Amino acid sequence: MSPKPADRIAKLRRQLEDANYRYHVLDDPSIPDGEYDRLLRELEALEAEHPELADPNSPSQRVGDKPSSKFAEVKHAVPMLSLANAFADEEVADFVARISRETGDDAPEFSVEPKLDGLAISLRYEDGKFVRGATRGDGVTGEDVTPNLRTVRAIPLQLRGKPPKVLEVRGEVYMPKAAFEKYNAWAAEHGAKTLANPRNGAAGSLRQLDPRITAQRPLSFYAYALGETDAKLPKTHTETLAWLRELGLPVSSLADAATGTEGLLAYYRRVGEERNALPFDIDGVVYKLNRYDQQRAMGFVSRAPRWALAHKFPAQEEATVVESIEVNVGRTGAVTPWVQMTPVHVGGVMVGRATLHNADQIARLDVRVGDSIIVRRAGDVIPEVVRVIEERRPLDKKGKPLHPPYALPTECPICGSDVVREEGEVVARCTGGLFCPAQRKEALIHFSSRRAMDIGGLGERFVDALVEFGYVETVADLYKLTVDDFLEMKRRADERDGTVPETVKAGKVASKWAENLIAGIDASRNTTLERLLYALGIRDVGESTAKTLARHFGALAPLMAADEATLTEVPDVGPVVAARIAHFFAEQHNREVIAGLRKNGVHWPEGAPQRAVDGPLSGKTVVLTGGLESMSRDEAGARLEALGAKVSGSVSKKTGIVIAGEAAGSKLAKAQELGLEIWDEAKLLDFLAKNG
């Protein structure tokens, strides 16, 4: 008597899931590929005959579903943080020494594992069933790629044993080397696009809108951490990895434990020696403080845990030839040298430019036009010149170098202003400030941004055209623009690009957008001193410093007249920042721009200097995060400052209170990790009512 369809389907699903577990987790295949394929085909046929027995977690669903129109966003309940990097043994020693010093543990134990070169993902399981998968994204918000992840056989759709109600697993999707080579051979034979490298292959495969394409890609997965869970966890990370393995999740067999600096470096060298023979690409190893109580004690800095470190292997390097040496002038005036070189494939990417960082680097390397150089590309960072192959340097008939040593220009190649290098600085800068065209676009974008002058609608596209066609030379010129200027600018841009709209061809120009831009510019004429100071883009003068300067001086004239000694009397303004502020206002062209702003109608209220407020929040730093229903965050910040608080935009150990509104994200998570005092909106309103 043949089994019932439901019983046979259930048995086939168990057999296939067990085969996946033995292959991907135990590295001990139980059945050959051909038998696996036959069982899978039988399951697919039975499910097609009995659609009432369909299950989204069936192994048959790994072949992919219909394409999505776009990826939905996923807010990570626990942020997916990045790791600090180390490239030298000394940095690892410093890392261990800091942990020993702060935890009091002379021989801290670490969980150690290879750093796979793939794509970080998050897998959410509820009652043991896989319900959602997402990319890391920016660490707070990722892309929902659940259908694509269902096609990765190494990812269990149903956990084994007794999983918790909620379990979020973090790990890496990667493409094995052999599978990558096999796929590229197949793609070349069939005229399909080949993949640049295994890492890009993994990332690109998971971002396919059609999961059926992902299913064709040979992807795998290793788990290495947890996100949100209601499980009672072991005391160490290595015990957690063992538990994940028991649940059916693949964990790297290279994961281990090591003690102290020597233990970490020994593991680094051992894995480094095995690197080329491994079946997958890695770009380093990861060290994590093993005990969770010690992790909590160490906490976080910025967007990285202080208890973990990625120790990177030497990056891939290639040789090429310098065709020319150029400089780039950035928004802050930083003059950065770079080489134009014969394009070369480095780390799976074709590159034709590499940075030289600064004058010291040029002098150390002695890079010259025509030199053969070694270029390195570490991960996603900008390619850099590592060294010159001196024996290949071109020589003249007398045996002397054909080209002289390179020196940075002493004048800005864009505006002709002096290029200076401050004492103690490694970067040389153009002194053109608001006057320099190279800095003009970024200065305009910053000037018009929401937290500065808040000129709505004036984005990068319009700024590029305004500068390119000569309508704006300084930020003051924004206030001389007319609707006709914008319309003419748009017409010229369309003609240049060959995209003249039909309305223009017909002589009917829709001018509403231009009128809105002029209205936004007009509205920004009425501003505040602190917004103006921030908008001017003075180096190291952010929103907080701009606000402090505005309150300390009360008016612009005394601030412009202040010398460095006077400026250092301002709270939180040190000698370096004071020198930069004084230098900015000493430049005649910067004064002319400010005069132009006044002449063109930009104004702000001025008054007597304000000293620090003595109130119930004096001495406390407060951070606002998330949305408030009863008021804007700006209004809340102003009311808190009136009670003596210093309002900051970042969370640190020095933060006194974090006020969390709706959809509070990484700042709230960091405050919780640091054990800071956290208020909700109700508590904020109650405090303001009592102290209003």
Side-chain angles (χ1 to χ4, degrees), residues 326-331 333-336 338 409-419 429-442 467 472-473:
E326 315 289 345
V327 295
N328 179 65
V329 183
R331 181 181 74 82
V335 177
T336 305
W338 55 274
T410 57
E411 293 185 351
C412 175
I414 309 299
C415 72
S417 299
D418 290 340
V419 171
R429 296 181 188 275
C430 164
T431 59
L434 296 175
F435 171 76
C436 179
Q439 303 172 58
R440 190 177 300 158
K441 289 182 181 179
E442 290 297 329
V467 173
V472 173
E473 291 188 357

Side-chain angles (χ1 to χ4, degrees), residues 543-564:
E543 289 182 73
S544 179
T545 303
K547 184 179 293 184
T548 301
L549 289 168
R551 292 183 175 182
H552 185 87
F553 289 97
L556 185 57
L559 171 58
M560 292 177 66
D563 58 18
E564 292 181 31

Side-chain angles (χ1 to χ4, degrees), residues 548-599:
T548 301
L549 289 168
R551 292 183 175 182
H552 185 87
F553 289 97
L556 185 57
L559 171 58
M560 292 177 66
D563 58 18
E564 292 181 31
T566 302
L567 287 164
T568 56
E569 296 174 3
V570 180
D572 299 327
V573 174
V576 173
V577 177
R580 286 170 181 159
I581 296 169
H583 178 79
F584 179 89
F585 288 118
E587 290 281 359
Q588 183 58 33
H589 45 252
N590 290 337
R591 288 176 169 268
E592 290 172 356
V593 170
I594 293 170
L597 288 169
R598 285 186 184 274
K599 180 181 178 181

